[in-house]
Amino acid sequence: MMRKTTFVAGLSFLIMGYGAYSGEHWSYHGKTGPEHWGDLKPEFIMCKIGKNQSPVDINRIVEAELKELKISYRPGASYLVNNGHTIKVSYGKGSYLEVDGTKFELKQFHFHAPSEHKIKGKLYPFEAHFVHMDKNGNIAVIGVLFKEGRKNPVIEKLWKNISSKVGEKVKITDKINAYDLLPKKKRYYRYSGSLTTPPCSEGVRWFVMVEEMELSKEQIEKFRKLMGGDTNRPVQPLNARMVMKQD
């Protein structure tokens, strides 16, 4: 019982930090960039040797009779932090993704620019990841791709709270529901992958939305300027995996 409790607690720490693994120096560029992650620390070895890594280029697609995702979100964005790798929004209790007969609680969401996933070779300017965990520590992530277009009102509310000071938590005063950052149609691609930042742990259920969302060029550039450039891990080999698409 103690071993299981410790395991879940460790995963809880991991998921809350997903987007920036605390206490270890890694980056998206140079000698601490993605191609070197697996050599920075023994705990990061899966970034180097893993066979089911994320993100991927979604191009080996099988149409499948996948069930609709049961998404039950309510307003719960509590605070955001610029952790030096992304803008991470922590979420309060009570919002869930139900899949495979299991409830996964929404813990946080964060962003990447440009996108981490590609669709048949196409890279998007922006991507959001909604990170969930079940009671046993299993992780499920919803990915939403964004194209350049109209100003996104939810992103606008979040961006006004951004601090340029790395590590500073800013309380969100606006009532923000993460559901409003999801497309109306919830068709999705599904595959088994990993966290896209160190330690690149595998066994993550990935659900990437087929339909895109929009945000403005100014909103994209504000994020990129704050992050100092690209914040995406390059796509990883699919190897023996197939990507299922909800028909």
Side-chain angles (χ1 to χ4, degrees), residues 16 74-81 87-95 105-109 154 157-158 161-162 168-178:
M16 293 307 290
R74 62 188 188 188
S78 54
Y79 64 85
L80 60 73
V81 60
I87 299 299
K88 180 168 71 76
V89 181
S90 295
Y91 220 76
K93 294 182 178 180
S95 294
E105 185 175 14
L106 177 63
K107 297 292 186 179
Q108 53 102 335
F109 60 91
V154 179
K157 288 179 180 179
L158 291 172
N161 290 288
I162 289 178
E168 182 179 3
K169 292 182 179 180
V170 180
K171 184 175 177 58
I172 297 172
T173 55
D174 290 295
K175 194 174 182 180
I176 293 176
N177 191 336

Side-chain angles (χ1 to χ4, degrees), residues 19 26-30 32-35 37 85-86 112 116 196-197 230-233:
W26 60 269
S27 73
Y28 288 105
H29 311 282
T32 55
E35 64 272 29
W37 288 350
H85 300 293
T86 187
H112 299 271
E116 296 208 296
T196 66
T197 63
D230 293 351
T231 55
N232 64 325
R233 185 189 192 190

Side-chain angles (χ1 to χ4, degrees), residues 125-177:
F126 198 79
E127 183 172 351
H129 290 166
F130 301 82
V131 186
H132 311 73
M133 186 171 66
D134 73 5
K135 62 181 181 180
N136 295 317
N138 298 302
I139 298 172
V141 184
I142 292 177
V144 178
L145 299 166
F146 286 73
K147 62 183 179 181
E148 186 180 310
R150 294 168 294 182
K151 181 181 291 186
N152 187 295
V154 179
I155 295 293
E156 193 68 12
K157 288 179 180 179
L158 291 172
W159 272 200
K160 77 177 185 180
N161 290 288
I162 289 178
S163 171
S164 59
K165 186 178 179 181
V166 175
E168 182 179 3
K169 292 182 179 180
V170 180
K171 184 175 177 58
I172 297 172
T173 55
D174 290 295
K175 194 174 182 180
I176 293 176
N177 191 336

